[in-house]
Amino acid sequence: MATHAAFMPGAVTEKQSVLVSWLTTVDHKRIGILYGTSAFTFFLIGGIEALIMRLQLAVPDNTVVSAQLFNELFTMHGTTMVFLAIMPMSAAFFNYMIPLMIGARDVAFPRLNALSYWIFLAGGLLLHASFVFGSVPDGGWFGYANLTTKQFSPGHSIDFWILGLQILGISSMLAGFNFIVTIINMRAPGMTLMRMPLFIWMSFVVQFLVVLAFPAITVGLILLMFDRFFGTLFYAPAAGGDPLLWQHLFWIFGHPEVYILILPAMGIVSEVLPTFARKPLFGAPVVIYSGIMIGFFGFGVWSHHMFSVGMGPVADSAFSIATMLIAVPTGVKILNWIATLWGGSIRFTSALYFALGFIAMFTMGGLSGVMHASPPVDLQQTDTYFVVAHFHYVLFGGSIFGLAAGAYYWWPKITGRVLDERLGKLHFWLMLIGFNVTFFPQHYLGLIGMPRRIYTYAPDLGWNFWNLVSSIGAFTIALSFLVFIVNVVKTMRAGAPAGPDPWDGRTLEWSIPSPPPVYNFAVVPAVQDRDDFWLQKYGDEHGGKPRKAPAPRPEDIAAIHMPPPSYWPILLAGGLLFMLAGALVSIYQVILGGLLTLFCMYRFALEYHRPRAGGGHHG
Amino acid sequence: MSAQAAEHAVHDPNLGITGLDHRKMGMWAFLGSECMFFGSLIGTYMSYKGKSLTGPTPHEIFNIPLTSVSAFVLLMSSVWMVLALNYLRLNNMRWAKFWILMTALFGAWFVGNQVYEFAEFVHEGLTLQTSLFGSTFFVLTGFHGAHVTGGVIWLLSLWALALMGKLGPEDYLKVEIAGLYWHFVDIVWIAIFTLVYLIP
Amino acid sequence: MSTARPSALAARTATLVLAVAILAAGCGWSGWDRPMTTVLPKSDFGHRINDLFLLISWWTLGIFIAVEAVLLYACWRFRERPGAATPKQVHGHTALEISWTVAFAVVLLIIGIPTIRIIFKTQEAPAATALRVDVAGRQWWWEFKYPELNITTANEVHIPAGQTVAFHLNAPDVIHSFWIPQLGGKRDVIPGRVNRIILTPDTPGEYPGQCAEYCGMSHANMRFRAIVHTKEDFEKWVAAQQAPPAEPAGELAQKGKELFAQSACVGCHTIRGVSGGVLGPDLTHFGSRKTFAAGTHRVTPENLVKWIENPDHMKPGVLMPNLGMKGEQSRALAAYLLSLK
């Protein structure tokens, strides 16, 4: 039950309807829930796209879908899973958990936070509006020029893709600025950088990757848009333009992007394992430094996605060495996670199962990645089902398993109820088995020559049986998510209530009620170490005694000022969507949308300028 | 300071544990991303330098004297920005307003020069579609010009707020942040001017 | 939970053992012998890659087994027991961290050094005696020119065993990728630049190839075949290709030739002595090929008729227009094409 201790005059009052309260929320917890439900919905859409593809590929020379539709499906499946499922699901956890885990009451810029969400939703809606207009993107999720130029992709499909991604880029970058400032500037007293939980560290690295990598794809997309709309020559070979310019710009973004996709899951696993092994993360500083190194060096390996383009032996060698180097901190992290379990007292909850699944599957994906790091070997593997297997092992076996672990782990904190453990384990086993049945055979298919992005294949190449097996696996994965949905519905109706600390956790979020009050912490905690909450409960082995945090007094709570709700984030996002969608319609819509956006920006910026009474406010 | 203001200062929601205001830190993070943005555009320009198949060459078409004046104008505008902040801190609103306006006007002068330059180039046969040089030049400098324009609008808005009595020394941070952005845009121009116009 | 755990762990251990068994058996397994396999190479380029692949595979397999085994063992050994005390709150072990970091670095050196060597070896310039084949990847077929031999053909590339071939790759339209899996790795075909693959095939045979970079609607249908001949057979093929096309035998084929020469076909196709179009495949010796439409259909009268009457139906998005040929017209054209041995 929310209490807003102080409202700005003229702002939205308590008499809001439920709908309006969600549309105008600036509470990081609600924004996290918005991200999570949206991301899961897009994940299901992307999953259905995958199921249709696997139906088509189950037998050779199949006619379930046309070539065009298949090409649209793999484009949208990739784009959706990367930008509309995994990234926003990570964002759901950033939003909900970062302030809780650093002992803060919200993020640095709550309205900007809401704005990021609504802009994300706008981007997702614009991309999917392409289905309504029969102009679905079909250039692949990495949209290589010059196939995506107007000459070879007439119509609006690629335009939807460009505009959708630009909008999503804005959303991610705004959130990046927000979380960087939050993590640096809003930690509870005593929480030095090295005392931050690992999830915070990995999220911190991710935000830097976002703000530094997205501009490259922003520029790449701008150049493509200018080629398509204004006839510039950036990707025009006939005028001396180089299609490889697109690949460089895309992968300078794209490689850090894959670390953006995996590091949050690594952060989650780094929280889940210690909790359920009842001992601290082994080598926490090493895991932190490994994360930093992966983020930093991740900017130096992008051309390992381009080993087949003919960069020459020197460039091939340089990127190969750099890629192999990154395998070291990655492997070190895996061993540290295992060492965390070693000597522990392991409780096998669903959350832990998913974390273990992450380690097992990500190890496999990482090892096939080491194979790809060798350019000669990669010349056989790239653009085949072998690399499809590799990236699904790291993105599904890695990210999705990790995010699932986070969902089961933090569900009690977010909703106040514990997800059913039996259904959770059923979900895990179905997902683990289904996932491996789907993707393990794809290594073999790649090694016997099956290229990727083909809507059908000949019956005499020996690919038939394992394609069928893979398709059956895909439906098993779908079944596992049905189990999850059943679990969610069951739990929301009549799930076991969770106290503040159902898992006997180690970090600050477990020290407050489930779900937390709107202000999170009645009293801002003072932190003395990493895993401070554990130490408060149990003391440490060097004579430190358990501490009890002081009970909150009513006057503490009354003195808390939480930022009030605001209309401007959703309105500004709407203006931005109207303006950018206008590129598909007419210049007048762009101009009108631009004016609307400018207007909303002014109102947003000036909303708390010169407040009339009671304290200036919030970002 | 009144008791209320004193209490407010203690509980300033925008002040972080590093002593830096959130908004200033946020601007620095934004400027970091802008480095990558302009870096990508400059990188594109450099990789296509000398590769055009047709059309006027940089050497043929650039008006270095005019562009040098423009560069100087933009540099001076950064000086005016420093003056504006200085007077704001001293609570001299008359001069603060003046120098904010001068910064904006010099920025507008720069953009005006650029518009004139673009029109001349088009007249002399260089457009977006003419060659790689045309495409890269106009997109790189055009996006820079758009950033300057955004800054001018921002500064004029601050000036208007000041005219309405709604900007004072207590808003120092907001003007400082605008200044950070303005100086950054100026530095990017120094890089562009050097790499695009001066280096053959 | 305590009853479920041991069986759960047993299940996962069993899965791991099974996986290991499958992988180990993989070496002698005939399941690798497929038309587009990458692990039974038939050229020097393919062998070099495969040797490196095997080296890396053994190491990664070993690491995989070790890591998964330790993971599973830790889960089993350190499962919570009733009444257990809180475990020792170990924070780390510096020597261990250093050791396994160094171990990983060493393994990567073992993989990396041969990698660099093979990169340079496989990208060396070809000997002057190499046979040059110019490959043009177009949406969605392959053109092969032999500049030294004055031969232009499409969708089937013939090369001699035991001689180095230098494929020069270019794309007039979008990015494609040239790949004959049994003969080695792929190389992208990129507008505005010329890439190269140098290889020496060792065994005569027919090896399917396929475009491996998404290039639009019918990317899946952009296949081709590489036919490796003995030296003698290759010379025979060259001679047959250099010879002018056979005169059509039979009335139907003769009708087809006349129809061809009068129709829009000549705007896109070359048949030496008859037409000079360059937008579509050279058809001079079409009848000598076993597949057409970029390796997607066998050359039979029925398939040819279907193609001529409705190319888009057999290859979505194909650039060859439907010229409205029907009935006897299409049969005549098919007969003519078949006669072009």
Side-chain angles (χ1 to χ4, degrees):
Chain A
M1 28 116 321
T3 55
H4 291 264
F7 268 35
M8 300 311 299
V12 187
T13 66
E14 290 255 28
K15 292 212 183 94
Q16 294 177 294
S17 70
V18 173
L19 176 66
V20 170
S21 74
W22 280 93
L23 297 179
T24 59
T25 186
V26 298
D27 178 353
H28 71 98
K29 299 183 285 300
R30 283 195 153 194
I31 293 170
I33 291 171
L34 286 171
Y35 266 111
T37 44
S38 309
F40 188 68
T41 307
F42 283 121
F43 176 74
L44 293 177
I45 295 175
I48 290 170
E49 286 158 353
L51 289 178
I52 300 174
M53 286 195 283
R54 283 309 330 165
L55 262 180
Q56 166 69 7
L57 293 174
V59 298
D61 286 334
N62 207 356
T63 50
V64 171
V65 296
S66 66
Q68 176 60 27
L69 182 55
F70 189 91
N71 298 342
E72 293 168 1
L73 286 171
F74 71 69
T75 302
M76 288 304 286
H77 169 79
T79 305
T80 297
M81 288 306 195
V82 169
F83 294 103
L84 302 179
I86 298 184
M87 283 187 79
M89 188 59 78
S90 303
F93 289 121
F94 297 154
N95 270 279
Y96 207 105
M97 305 309 307
I98 288 180
L100 298 187
M101 293 176 93
I102 63 174
R105 294 210 164 103
D106 206 305
V107 296
F109 307 112
R111 288 178 307 147
L112 195 71
N113 201 14
L115 180 64
S116 286
Y117 170 74
W118 293 113
I119 293 179
F120 148 73
L121 187 66
L125 289 176
L126 183 63
L127 269 173
H128 284 83
S130 66
F131 281 105
V132 171
F133 292 100
S135 237
V136 184
D138 59 354
W141 93 272
F142 39 82
Y144 275 2
N146 53 340
L147 178 64
T148 46
T149 58
K150 205 85 181 164
Q151 180 184 0
F152 297 103
S153 291
H156 283 309
S157 325
I158 302 298
D159 301 324
F160 271 102
W161 187 71
I162 293 172
L163 292 165
L165 286 186
Q166 293 288 46
I167 294 174
L168 293 168
I170 296 172
S171 164
S172 294
M173 289 189 35
L174 291 177
F177 305 138
N178 212 342
F179 288 118
I180 286 175
V181 177
T182 303
I183 293 174
I184 295 179
N185 240 5
M186 294 179 74
R187 284 166 283 137
M191 186 178 280
T192 61
L193 285 174
M194 288 310 281
R195 289 180 184 165
M196 295 197 308
L198 267 289
F199 178 69
I200 303 296
W201 260 112
M202 297 303 118
S203 307
F204 192 40
V205 173
V206 164
Q207 306 312 322
F208 280 100
L209 292 177
V210 166
V211 311
L212 295 174
F214 267 86
I217 192 178
T218 304
V219 167
L221 287 169
I222 286 175
L223 302 185
L224 182 61
M225 193 169 80
F226 270 67
D227 272 16
R228 291 180 63 86
F229 282 84
F230 306 124
T232 48
L233 304 167
F234 293 104
Y235 304 121
D242 190 353
L244 290 186
L245 174 65
W246 167 268
Q247 291 192 32
H248 281 294
L249 287 171
F250 183 87
W251 288 117
I252 288 173
F253 152 76
H255 195 80
E257 169 67 6
V258 312
Y259 294 125
I260 291 168
L261 296 171
I262 196 68
L263 283 172
M266 289 184 163
I268 292 173
V269 165
S270 304
E271 302 293 340
V272 169
L273 291 176
T275 299
F276 294 107
R278 296 179 66 76
K279 57 191 272 285
L281 180 69
F282 191 91
V286 174
V287 177
I288 291 171
Y289 289 126
S290 297
I292 296 171
M293 277 176 55
I294 288 170
F296 184 73
F297 288 112
F299 274 99
V301 301
W302 78 89
S303 282
H304 69 217
H305 300 270
M306 296 166 64
F307 281 147
S308 62
V309 309
M311 297 182 293
V314 174
D316 282 353
S317 303
F319 281 102
S320 173
I321 294 169
T323 306
M324 290 187 189
L325 278 175
I326 285 208
V328 176
T330 314
V332 161
K333 282 177 125 175
I334 294 174
L335 294 181
N336 275 292
W337 288 321
I338 297 177
T340 303
L341 295 165
W342 195 275
S345 176
I346 306 173
R347 270 176 302 151
F348 287 90
T349 59
S350 310
L352 184 73
Y353 268 121
F354 282 104
L356 294 174
F358 170 97
I359 298 176
M361 300 298 103
F362 179 77
T363 300
M364 290 176 67
L367 289 172
S368 59
V370 168
M371 291 189 192
H372 293 319
S374 172
V377 176
D378 191 51
L379 290 183
Q380 286 286 33
Q381 296 172 346
T382 188
D383 262 303
T384 70
Y385 265 81
F386 194 92
V387 71
V388 174
H390 158 71
F391 66 68
H392 282 94
Y393 265 86
V394 289
L395 288 179
F396 193 128
S399 301
I400 300 286
F401 270 79
L403 291 167
Y408 281 87
Y409 181 57
W410 280 315
W411 199 271
K413 180 54 53 185
I414 296 172
T415 66
R417 315 236 181 153
V418 184
L419 282 169
D420 183 281
E421 278 292 311
R422 282 189 57 219
L423 284 175
K425 284 170 181 145
L426 179 60
H427 174 195
F428 169 75
W429 284 112
L430 279 174
M431 190 157 107
L432 184 73
I433 292 168
F435 167 76
N436 279 287
V437 170
T438 309
F439 293 107
F440 192 75
Q442 292 185 2
H443 292 104
Y444 169 68
L445 286 171
L447 289 177
I448 57 169
M450 185 172 176
R452 61 188 285 201
R453 299 170 153 188
I454 53 175
Y455 72 96
T456 190
Y457 53 92
D460 55 353
L461 295 170
W463 301 340
N464 310 357
F465 177 70
W466 290 106
N467 265 296
L468 181 61
V469 169
S470 177
S471 297
I472 293 170
F475 281 87
T476 312
I477 296 176
L479 190 60
S480 79
F481 277 98
L482 273 174
V483 170
F484 175 67
I485 293 171
V486 166
N487 196 349
V488 168
V489 171
K490 179 168 179 266
T491 304
M492 295 324 288
R493 287 223 194 114
D501 187 15
W503 310 124
D504 197 16
R506 308 175 74 88
T507 39
L508 286 177
E509 74 270 30
W510 305 110
S511 68
I512 56 180
S514 305
V518 68
Y519 49 80
N520 301 343
F521 297 90
V523 176
V524 174
V527 166
Q528 294 179 2
D529 210 330
R530 199 182 300 122
D531 290 351
D532 191 71
F533 182 54
W534 177 271
L535 294 171
Q536 283 180 39
K537 289 188 284 186
Y538 299 112
D540 66 29
E541 291 147 340
H542 307 292
K545 296 215 176 4
R547 290 172 275 134
K548 191 104 178 48
R553 307 163 300 166
E555 51 270 38
D556 295 326
I557 297 173
I560 299 173
H561 297 241
M562 291 306 294
S566 169
Y567 286 114
W568 295 111
I570 191 172
L571 291 176
L572 177 49
L576 197 63
L577 175 62
F578 189 68
M579 175 177 77
L580 288 173
L584 295 166
V585 179
S586 95
I587 184 79
Y588 300 111
Q589 183 173 331
V590 178
I591 293 172
L592 182 59
L595 291 170
L596 273 172
T597 303
L598 206 57
F599 173 74
C600 290
M601 281 173 72
Y602 271 108
R603 295 304 301 261
F604 187 108
L606 295 174
E607 189 171 11
Y608 297 119
H609 185 73
R610 286 285 183 281
R612 259 166 272 158
H617 257 298
H618 299 277
Chain B
M1 259 205 290
S2 70
Q4 200 181 38
E7 207 223 29
H8 178 239
V10 166
H11 293 297
D12 183 353
N14 281 308
L15 195 58
I17 64 173
T18 58
L20 261 179
D21 190 287
H22 293 336
R23 294 164 293 183
K24 187 153 40 162
M25 193 181 287
M27 173 52 72
W28 278 109
F30 171 64
L31 294 179
S33 78
E34 289 272 81
C35 286
M36 294 300 287
F37 178 80
F38 280 106
S40 302
L41 282 173
I42 292 173
T44 299
Y45 180 87
M46 299 301 287
S47 71
Y48 277 155
K49 197 161 169 162
K51 300 241 170 74
S52 293
L53 300 180
T54 179
T57 63
H59 178 70
E60 287 165 8
I61 205 167
F62 281 156
N63 183 344
I64 302 293
L66 174 68
T67 320
S68 303
V69 167
S70 250
F72 182 71
V73 163
L74 198 61
L75 271 166
M76 288 317 292
S77 75
S78 269
V79 177
W80 309 152
M81 188 74 220
V82 174
L83 289 176
L85 270 170
N86 186 50
Y87 282 112
L88 184 64
R89 187 150 29 100
L90 294 173
N91 200 1
N92 187 335
M93 285 317 296
R94 187 161 158 257
W95 281 108
K97 273 185 279 189
F98 175 75
W99 288 114
I100 289 177
L101 179 63
M102 286 301 282
T103 310
L105 288 180
F106 269 57
W109 183 358
F110 174 87
V111 176
N113 273 6
Q114 194 168 52
V115 170
Y116 171 74
E117 183 194 32
F118 282 12
E120 277 300 294
F121 286 4
V122 170
H123 183 63
E124 288 167 33
L126 183 73
T127 66
L128 275 169
Q129 299 93 0
T130 308
S131 61
L132 290 177
F133 171 52
S135 297
T136 53
F137 172 78
F138 283 113
V139 168
L140 170 59
T141 56
F143 268 92
H144 175 263
H147 277 76
V148 177
T149 306
V152 169
I153 295 174
W154 189 352
L155 288 166
L156 287 175
S157 307
L158 289 174
W159 180 69
L161 276 176
L163 281 184
M164 293 189 271
K166 291 192 180 168
L167 199 75
E170 64 271 38
D171 301 301
Y172 184 83
L173 183 103
K174 294 186 182 179
V175 184
E176 190 187 10
I177 288 173
L180 277 174
Y181 175 80
W182 191 257
H183 294 313
F184 174 77
V185 159
D186 194 3
I187 292 173
V188 172
W189 179 251
I190 293 172
I192 293 176
F193 185 53
T194 309
L195 291 169
V196 171
Y197 289 87
L198 295 183
I199 294 184
Chain C
M1 201 157 60
S2 49
T3 46
R5 245 182 304 112
S7 70
L9 285 164
R12 297 167 78 226
T13 314
T15 316
L16 173 66
V17 168
L18 191 62
V20 170
I22 290 173
L23 284 156
C27 299
W29 181 36
S30 70
W32 297 116
D33 191 1
R34 296 285 179 272
M36 287 177 70
T37 188
T38 61
V39 297
L40 297 172
K42 303 283 192 302
S43 80
D44 61 340
F45 181 40
H47 278 292
R48 291 203 173 101
I49 289 175
N50 199 48
D51 291 344
L52 192 52
F53 171 64
L54 287 173
L55 170 71
I56 299 177
S57 296
W58 282 119
W59 278 103
T60 51
L61 179 65
I63 294 172
F64 165 71
I65 292 173
V67 170
E68 306 285 12
V70 172
L71 176 65
L72 288 171
Y73 177 70
C75 288
W76 172 78
R77 163 106 184 263
F78 297 106
R79 64 194 186 283
E80 182 181 50
R81 286 163 179 79
T86 304
K88 192 157 184 297
Q89 302 290 291
V90 173
H91 289 268
H93 190 298
T94 311
L96 195 52
E97 301 279 4
I98 295 177
S99 313
W100 60 43
T101 306
V102 168
F104 278 135
V106 167
V107 172
L108 289 169
L109 269 174
I110 294 173
I111 293 173
I113 293 174
T115 291
I116 312 274
R117 221 178 12 93
I118 306 279
I119 291 173
F120 279 88
K121 190 97 188 99
T122 52
Q123 295 188 37
E124 272 170 4
T129 52
L131 171 68
R132 178 167 158 163
V133 179
D134 288 349
V135 179
R138 301 158 180 266
Q139 286 178 318
W140 289 279
W141 59 282
W142 297 93
E143 176 184 82
F144 300 110
K145 281 190 155 104
Y146 298 70
E148 299 144 354
L149 303 172
N150 228 334
I151 294 173
T152 301
T153 183
N155 299 322
E156 288 183 0
V157 60
H158 295 249
I159 48 183
Q163 183 183 2
T164 305
V165 182
F167 292 101
H168 289 243
L169 312 171
N170 182 246
D173 49 25
V174 298
I175 300 180
H176 302 274
S177 193
F178 181 75
W179 189 36
I180 311 165
Q182 283 215 59
L183 296 185
K186 61 185 69 72
R187 189 58 80 193
D188 286 359
V189 188
I190 299 173
R193 59 165 62 201
V194 178
N195 276 341
R196 265 190 339 204
I197 289 188
I198 320 289
L199 57 87
T200 308
D202 49 52
T203 311
E206 284 185 15
Y207 306 110
Q210 187 152 356
C211 173
E213 184 60 63
Y214 177 60
C215 53
M217 177 103 70
S218 259
H219 163 65
N221 298 323
M222 190 169 163
R223 310 173 200 168
F224 66 100
R225 296 183 327 131
I227 293 133
V228 177
H229 294 284
T230 61
K231 203 160 182 316
E232 302 75 40
D233 285 344
F234 180 70
E235 321 249 286
K236 283 194 212 144
W237 177 82
V238 168
Q241 292 290 311
Q242 287 173 333
E247 273 306 307
E251 205 189 303
L252 194 59
Q254 181 59 38
K255 267 208 194 125
K257 179 176 178 182
E258 284 155 19
L259 185 55
F260 181 91
Q262 296 159 3
S263 308
C265 315
V266 304
C268 293
H269 293 286
T270 295
I271 296 181
R272 229 181 301 147
V274 180
S275 67
V278 292
L279 296 174
D282 186 301
L283 303 176
T284 307
H285 292 284
F286 179 86
S288 68
R289 300 180 206 151
K290 291 200 200 147
T291 61
F292 73 104
T296 49
H297 299 281
R298 301 215 74 83
V299 169
T300 66
E302 301 75 35
N303 281 344
L304 281 174
V305 165
K306 269 200 262 173
W307 174 261
I308 292 165
E309 292 187 351
N310 193 350
D312 190 83
H313 186 71
M314 291 175 91
K315 189 169 191 176
V318 72
L319 294 165
M320 171 164 154
N322 188 333
L323 292 173
M325 304 286 181
K326 288 267 179 294
E328 172 138 26
Q329 291 176 315
S330 31
R331 278 185 286 119
L333 284 168
Y336 173 49
L337 290 171
L338 283 166
S339 77
L340 293 168
K341 294 263 181 262

